[in-house]
Amino acid sequence: MFGAGFTTLAYGFLDKIDDEKTDLFIVMASVVRIFEAGFCILSINSSVAIIFNQYPRSVQGKVLGLTNMFFGAGLTSGPLVGGILFDVGGYGLPFYVVGAGILLTVPFSYWVVDKHIDTDRQEASMLKLFRKAPGITIPALVRVVTGIVHAFIMPILALYLTSQFMVESKTLQGLLFSILTVGYGVGSPVWGWLGDKPGLLRWSILGGILLVTIPVFLMGPCPWFHITPTLWLLGTSLFFTGAGVAVGVIIMVDIMEKAKSSGMEDNMALGAMVSGVYWCSYFIGTATGPIVGGLLYQIWGFGWTTTSVAFLCLLMCVMYSAFMARESVLEQHRAKYSDLEKNKREMRDMTTINEKVPLTKSYPQYTEE
């Protein structure tokens, strides 16, 4: 948190570079942002590992959903607050305020977090995680796809609003952008609550993928539907798309459960690795989403771009359904094997007890001469 706050403050001072030194500004901005991203992901991974370590499985989804609700609130309010601060104090003020706010959370975090939480150090290996639990690849791919859906709209929505609806007001465009993040903030605690219900974790994830697929088809809308594009349809689709993408909060729990069922030890190291897999998948999606969206928009236009992304979601539904079916079969085999091992242990214990009991106590009619 300290590193993230410091680099955010540093970014606010970049406007002090001479206007003629454009190359220097680009280099310094890139370096500061790279370090800021590194510090932020360290903080995120640590937070998730602490959640897995400190909270029981019955509430992990709710806790992750609650934290992601605030993440969505930040995404929603960030552009608005940043715009206001920029109008008031210029380029640097938004970064000064945000950086100072992050630094103020450092002593609070130090006071709240258990000081002995990381005294038991464990070695971790990402290679071992994928070797013992290759099935985590499918939930990770789901998170990549939801990341693509979350981000592909970013470079093309403003262009579409201007060309299709003649919406040139930046305020209205910003409000429409915020609908997506509002849906994300609303959906996060709901998915967290559903994911904690016994037997509903993977069904909730499948439902979330379907909830993403339908509004993305309608967002364009899909040219095959012959529906007239309207702002209310676009806004409604954006809200439910955000709500569906929020299912990602329990994908992390699914990855964790799959790793534990594959024989990985449940400890802080595993929580950190699961968080790393999850956020790596999400950021791969958010990095490729704008590129894919921009290229498809230039080639096919908005309707076919959203339709293509919707078909990607539909493909992910099929893949995850197959994954659920396979996991169901494996769990049945594990249960049978567990029962068999339990019976074997009971038989061995009975045999051991009988061997330790003297013959005269087991069979009183026989006495030693």
Side-chain angles (χ1 to χ4, degrees):
M1 296 297 292
F2 178 82
F6 179 78
T7 49
T8 302
L9 284 173
Y11 203 86
F13 287 99
L14 292 180
D15 66 331
K16 308 301 180 184
I17 299 175
D18 292 340
D19 294 340
E20 298 177 356
K21 300 180 179 179
T22 306
D23 294 339
L24 178 61
F25 177 86
I26 294 174
V27 171
M28 291 302 298
S30 301
V31 170
V32 171
R33 292 294 280 178
I34 289 171
F35 276 98
E36 182 183 0
F39 287 127
C40 287
I41 199 63
L42 284 174
S43 175
I44 292 172
N45 272 355
S46 301
S47 301
V48 172
I50 291 171
I51 289 173
F52 279 127
N53 182 265
Q54 294 293 296
Y55 293 92
R57 169 64 188 90
S58 58
V59 297
Q60 285 175 359
K62 297 183 185 70
V63 175
L64 291 169
L66 186 63
T67 56
N68 275 267
M69 181 183 72
F70 286 103
F71 176 69
L75 291 176
T76 303
S77 61
L80 175 62
V81 174
I84 293 173
L85 292 175
F86 181 85
D87 290 338
V88 172
Y91 169 85
L93 186 60
F95 300 102
Y96 303 152
V97 172
V98 173
I102 295 173
L103 290 176
L104 287 175
T105 65
V106 173
F108 178 75
S109 300
Y110 181 80
W111 176 64
V112 170
V113 176
D114 184 3
K115 308 302 183 299
H116 305 289
I117 197 169
D118 61 345
T119 54
D120 184 18
R121 302 285 182 173
Q122 303 101 5
E123 292 186 1
S125 170
M126 193 68 73
L127 181 61
K128 180 181 178 181
L129 174 62
F130 276 95
R131 188 172 64 247
K132 293 195 70 172
I136 66 173
T137 306
I138 300 300
L141 284 175
V142 174
R143 196 52 180 143
V144 172
V145 172
T146 55
I148 291 174
V149 175
H150 205 176
F152 88 97
I153 198 72
M154 298 302 175
I156 63 176
L157 182 58
L159 297 173
Y160 177 67
L161 289 172
T162 302
S163 61
Q164 179 67 36
F165 302 107
M166 305 302 173
V167 176
E168 298 183 358
S169 169
K170 300 303 179 183
T171 302
L172 185 54
Q173 289 182 4
L175 286 173
L176 285 167
F177 270 106
S178 69
I179 290 175
L180 183 70
T181 53
V182 168
Y184 186 91
V186 171
S188 293
V190 175
W191 291 121
W193 176 76
L194 287 173
D196 284 337
K197 297 294 182 182
L200 286 184
L201 175 63
R202 285 174 177 154
W203 285 108
S204 298
I205 294 174
L206 182 61
I209 306 171
L210 287 171
L211 183 59
V212 171
T213 305
I214 296 171
V216 174
F217 266 123
L218 296 174
M219 189 184 299
C222 175
W224 292 334
F225 295 167
H226 302 290
I227 300 175
T228 303
T230 59
L231 276 176
W232 72 265
L233 179 61
L234 177 62
T236 304
S237 300
L238 286 170
F239 177 84
F240 283 104
T241 298
V245 167
V247 77
V249 302
I250 57 175
I251 292 175
M252 197 184 309
V253 180
D254 189 20
I255 295 174
M256 186 69 168
E257 292 300 302
K258 177 59 182 174
K260 290 192 294 185
S261 67
S262 299
M264 296 293 292
E265 184 180 356
D266 185 7
N267 52 35
M268 285 281 289
L270 179 61
M273 287 191 296
V274 167
S275 176
V277 171
Y278 171 87
W279 287 108
C280 178
S281 303
Y282 174 69
F283 289 129
I284 288 174
T286 55
T288 57
I291 298 173
V292 172
L295 288 175
L296 293 180
Y297 181 79
Q298 288 184 345
I299 299 172
W300 291 334
F302 191 79
W304 284 114
T305 298
T306 56
T307 301
S308 301
V309 175
F311 271 113
L312 178 63
C313 297
L314 200 59
L315 174 63
M316 202 69 249
C317 285
V318 175
M319 292 179 63
Y320 195 77
S321 298
F323 169 75
M324 288 177 59
R326 179 179 179 274
E327 287 299 304
S328 178
V329 173
L330 289 177
E331 287 172 3
Q332 291 176 4
H333 284 300
R334 290 192 199 104
K336 292 180 181 179
Y337 179 77
S338 178
D339 291 339
L340 181 61
E341 287 295 311
K342 183 180 178 181
N343 292 335
K344 287 182 179 179
R345 284 195 301 269
E346 290 177 353
M347 291 290 291
R348 285 197 299 266
D349 292 342
M350 290 297 295
T351 303
T352 303
I353 292 172
N354 290 334
E355 289 175 351
K356 291 181 179 179
V357 176
L359 182 63
T360 55
K361 291 185 178 181
S362 299
Y363 304 98
Q365 65 271 30
Y366 295 100
T367 57
E368 296 181 4
E369 295 184 0

